[in-house]
Amino acid sequence: MAPANRRCHPLTSEGPGARLNGPMDLFLTLDAGGTSTRAIVHTADGVALGYGVAGGGNPTASGAEAVARELRTATASALGMAHVSPGQVTQALAAMAGSAVSIAGVEEGLETLGVRAPLQLGSDLEAIFASGTASLDGVALVSGTGAAAVVVQGGTTTARSDGRGWLLGDAGSGYWIARRVIRAVTADLDRRGPRTALTDALLPAAGVVGDRNTDKDVLLDQLVALLYAIPAPGTARFAPLAFDLAGTDHVAARIVDDAGDKLATTVLALHSADRSVPLVAGGSVLFRQEALRTRVAGLLRGSGWSGSMHPVSDGTVGAICMNLRSSGVIVDAAMHPRIVQSLHEIRAPRP
Amino acid sequence: MAPANRRCHPLTSEGPGARLNGPMDLFLTLDAGGTSTRAIVHTADGVALGYGVAGGGNPTASGAEAVARELRTATASALGMAHVSPGQVTQALAAMAGSAVSIAGVEEGLETLGVRAPLQLGSDLEAIFASGTASLDGVALVSGTGAAAVVVQGGTTTARSDGRGWLLGDAGSGYWIARRVIRAVTADLDRRGPRTALTDALLPAAGVVGDRNTDKDVLLDQLVALLYAIPAPGTARFAPLAFDLAGTDHVAARIVDDAGDKLATTVLALHSADRSVPLVAGGSVLFRQEALRTRVAGLLRGSGWSGSMHPVSDGTVGAICMNLRSSGVIVDAAMHPRIVQSLHEIRAPRP
């Protein structure tokens, strides 16, 4: 979730498509997340013609080559579904975390498909923001594997809080929650910490054979072997256990509450943010866990935050908006929901 | 600090050296720690004749081959200083963390030096315990890079608390403290957390160019690049910053206090421990930081612990005791301080 070198065209007062060469010019929008990568072929009106999805594409976690490969796969699917010539794509934008280092590799991959439009790089956090609102000013708060918040002004990031990865930060993220779960279970088995239902949930989820009546050293030796084999942010997969049990288990409830506190603190540290602007809440953890969003919203309201909260599943709508805006299309409050609807329809399973 | 497969000979009532073949039989004792490895050639009376030191030898962190190499280097130095024939060594024991997997490689290394005695493996935690007391019953608490506590009964570990590494446990360890320092500094720079003097200490210690008046994203980008390049437990090197500043900085003081609380909890979770037995406190963090030991001792006394606390720098004395005991030598309260004294003298710098 590092800031990206985005080529940002100024918005103009011309109408939709005014700066395009012709009515058949098409857009390719890519959205690379940690767990999946999406490609959309769409018109200047934001009508989705083709959609493709492939594997994870976070350049810091899986390497630039893997990102380029997944983006190419998703693009091939989207072009195939749209039944259009790759040469018709005149505008391409990829929203992703990390720096622009990998853009050449992605461009090469697209060229092998016949896409010759220059590729712009956009920030994944700005894309999540633009997915939730047509406003160009507001705040995005993300909690997925990692966690961060940004202030967006005029469509561009002007301040940032957290998002420094599993060691330095990402407070309230999936990794942060999962690490708390893992340590609570270890302390429970050692009787250094309170008894928690997280133990009976984590042991089978991690692949440990035996229940808590088994000798604790046997269980812990297995847990050590299994968990250290997962690269650091990957243990975030166990975060949902805390949400599953938060209604009935004190330890799980405390972890979820603390995650909410951390995320609210991350937003409130953005001192330059106007507290009446919209707040877009994204990332897999924040999108899926309504209880977490409710806690964050309550804490923000208690601190004088009056802006509305808009949950989004990913940054794909926002990446489309960024792609359109960079060629002069005005994406306003009337057009934004049409993009959401068009993407929703093309993503829906077909008979 | 995993339990080791120690071949444990029963103690006999025979006097010192009673089961040895002759008065010239010598002992080789090895003590492999995470940051350095020690070898001692000594007599059945515990008189040190030769001493050697080499690099770190934790098999889980640096690999079995590296451990074997360092142990061989330390042994060659010790044999050289002792001016004895390697063939005179009839008893060899190595105290180290981890399993017995690596023992064959260590034995091969010793054989190339002419040492043909079979090598026994001892637990590093039992060695630390036996370094601090001649008693065969008590508790060892260790905080170095990692942290753990064990109950020792009749010279053998009967229960264990924590010590599961940086992800699952090691509460109150050097890594645990350093992680708190790193996260406090990141939160300070983000203004998500309180201002702390740890920031001005960590930035230069980690190699970041610029002070806190520099743009925070510039500082944090450097910190991210530098700290993620250090393998996970290696960041423990920054733990001393918390102790340096605990007297004047609230954030540092809180980290040190919390570490003490965690270590006391780790001891108190050993429900099978008699609370009047001696507690040996070892590991680089617990040995060097008297304030931490004082806090742990206070918390334990407040929980009804009446046993004495014995700080030790490493497990070398204890490894010598274990080696002697495994051949029937009785190391009692009269002999133990003589071993400490002899090792102290041979370690002292010579003119």
Side-chain angles (χ1 to χ4, degrees):
Chain A
M1 306 214 194
N5 296 351
R6 183 183 161 204
R7 242 197 296 149
C8 191
H9 295 238
L11 293 173
T12 71
S13 56
E14 301 167 283
R19 281 172 49 183
L20 302 174
N21 298 325
M24 293 306 291
D25 285 331
L26 295 178
F27 292 70
L28 171 66
T29 298
L30 305 170
D31 181 31
T35 51
S36 72
T37 289
R38 294 157 290 276
I40 308 94
V41 174
H42 56 93
T43 68
D45 298 320
V47 175
L49 304 177
Y51 178 73
V53 65
N58 185 320
T60 47
S62 47
E65 278 182 36
V67 175
R69 192 170 56 242
E70 301 297 347
L71 287 172
R72 187 186 178 282
T73 302
T75 300
S77 297
L79 288 168
M81 187 199 279
H83 294 297
V84 296
S85 157
Q88 284 178 265
V89 173
T90 56
Q91 291 276 339
L93 180 141
M96 66 172 88
S99 69
V101 173
S102 57
I103 200 165
V106 178
E107 275 187 326
E108 278 171 31
L110 297 183
E111 274 177 29
T112 65
L113 297 172
V115 176
R116 309 215 176 270
L119 183 67
Q120 293 184 74
L121 199 62
S123 144
D124 58 338
L125 295 174
E126 289 173 16
I128 282 176
F129 175 72
S131 284
T133 174
S135 171
L136 295 176
D137 301 303
V139 165
L141 172 65
V142 176
S143 173
T145 299
V150 288
V151 176
V152 179
Q153 290 176 321
T156 301
T157 302
T158 56
R160 177 177 163 205
S161 180
D162 206 359
R164 305 293 174 175
W166 63 269
L167 176 60
L168 283 79
D170 285 357
S173 67
Y175 177 80
W176 185 96
I177 292 166
R179 189 177 189 276
R180 286 277 300 263
V181 168
I182 290 165
R183 297 179 72 83
V185 167
T186 307
D188 175 18
L189 289 171
D190 260 347
R191 296 198 288 171
R192 285 181 291 116
R195 188 162 178 140
T196 168
L198 288 167
T199 302
D200 295 319
L202 178 66
L203 294 180
V208 172
V209 178
D211 60 25
R212 60 176 307 138
N213 297 318
T214 312
D215 181 275
K216 70 146 180 164
D217 288 315
V218 171
L219 297 175
L220 283 167
D221 285 347
Q222 286 185 66
L223 202 57
V224 163
L226 290 162
L227 294 181
Y228 284 98
I230 303 171
T235 46
R237 74 179 72 152
F238 301 114
L241 301 179
F243 295 100
D244 295 348
L245 294 168
T248 53
D249 183 84
H250 286 300
V251 174
R254 176 71 185 274
I255 294 172
V256 170
D257 284 355
D258 287 353
D261 296 355
K262 291 289 184 187
L263 293 172
T265 300
T266 296
V267 171
L268 294 169
L270 296 166
H271 299 279
S272 63
D274 182 329
R275 297 191 172 194
S276 64
V277 293
L279 185 144
V280 177
S284 56
V285 174
L286 208 47
F287 178 69
R288 288 188 199 140
Q289 307 299 345
E290 191 183 352
L292 183 64
R293 287 202 309 276
T294 302
R295 184 168 179 93
V296 172
L299 291 164
L300 292 179
R301 266 198 307 277
S303 297
W305 199 282
S306 64
S308 49
M309 184 185 271
H310 307 265
V312 298
S313 62
D314 56 52
T316 310
V317 165
I320 294 171
C321 296
M322 287 157 68
N323 201 357
L324 294 173
R325 284 172 176 153
S326 82
S327 67
V329 176
I330 293 175
V331 180
D332 57 15
M335 186 171 177
H336 194 274
R338 291 203 299 270
I339 297 172
V340 172
Q341 182 62 27
S342 177
L343 190 63
H344 179 74
E345 285 167 8
I346 207 163
R347 278 174 159 177
R350 269 123 220 282
Chain B
M1 302 212 197
N5 296 350
R6 183 182 160 202
R7 243 197 296 149
C8 192
H9 295 238
L11 292 174
T12 71
S13 56
E14 302 167 283
R19 282 171 47 183
L20 301 173
N21 298 326
M24 292 308 289
D25 285 332
L26 295 177
F27 291 71
L28 171 65
T29 297
L30 305 171
D31 181 31
T35 52
S36 73
T37 288
R38 294 156 291 275
I40 308 94
V41 174
H42 56 94
T43 67
D45 298 319
V47 176
L49 304 177
Y51 178 72
V53 64
N58 186 318
T60 47
S62 48
E65 278 182 34
V67 175
R69 193 170 55 240
E70 300 299 346
L71 286 172
R72 187 186 178 283
T73 302
T75 300
S77 296
L79 288 168
M81 187 198 277
H83 294 297
V84 296
S85 157
Q88 285 180 263
V89 173
T90 57
Q91 290 276 338
L93 180 141
M96 64 172 88
S99 69
V101 173
S102 57
I103 201 164
V106 178
E107 275 188 326
E108 278 171 32
L110 297 183
E111 274 176 29
T112 64
L113 296 173
V115 176
R116 309 214 175 271
L119 182 67
Q120 293 185 73
L121 197 63
S123 144
D124 58 337
L125 295 174
E126 288 173 17
I128 282 176
F129 176 72
S131 284
T133 175
S135 171
L136 296 175
D137 301 302
V139 166
L141 171 65
V142 175
S143 172
T145 299
V150 287
V151 176
V152 178
Q153 291 176 323
T156 301
T157 302
T158 56
R160 178 177 162 205
S161 180
D162 205 0
R164 306 294 173 174
W166 61 270
L167 176 60
L168 281 78
D170 284 355
S173 68
Y175 177 80
W176 185 96
I177 292 165
R179 189 176 190 275
R180 286 277 301 261
V181 167
I182 290 165
R183 297 180 71 84
V185 167
T186 307
D188 174 19
L189 289 170
D190 261 347
R191 295 199 290 172
R192 285 181 289 117
R195 189 163 176 141
T196 168
L198 288 167
T199 302
D200 294 320
L202 178 65
L203 294 180
V208 172
V209 178
D211 59 27
R212 61 176 306 137
N213 297 317
T214 311
D215 179 275
K216 70 145 179 164
D217 288 315
V218 171
L219 296 175
L220 283 167
D221 285 347
Q222 286 184 68
L223 202 57
V224 163
L226 291 162
L227 294 182
Y228 284 99
I230 303 171
T235 47
R237 75 179 72 152
F238 301 114
L241 300 180
F243 295 99
D244 294 347
L245 294 168
T248 53
D249 183 84
H250 287 300
V251 175
R254 176 72 185 274
I255 293 172
V256 170
D257 284 355
D258 287 353
D261 296 355
K262 292 288 184 187
L263 293 172
T265 300
T266 296
V267 172
L268 293 170
L270 296 166
H271 299 278
S272 62
D274 182 328
R275 297 190 172 195
S276 64
V277 294
L279 186 143
V280 177
S284 56
V285 174
L286 207 48
F287 178 70
R288 288 187 199 141
Q289 307 299 344
E290 190 183 352
L292 183 64
R293 287 203 309 275
T294 303
R295 184 169 179 92
V296 173
L299 290 164
L300 293 180
R301 267 197 308 277
S303 296
W305 199 282
S306 64
S308 49
M309 185 185 272
H310 307 264
V312 297
S313 62
D314 55 51
T316 309
V317 166
I320 293 171
C321 297
M322 286 157 68
N323 201 358
L324 292 173
R325 284 171 176 154
S326 82
S327 67
V329 176
I330 293 175
V331 180
D332 57 16
M335 185 170 179
H336 194 273
R338 291 202 299 270
I339 297 172
V340 173
Q341 181 62 26
S342 177
L343 190 62
H344 179 73
E345 285 167 8
I346 206 163
R347 278 173 158 178
R350 271 124 219 282

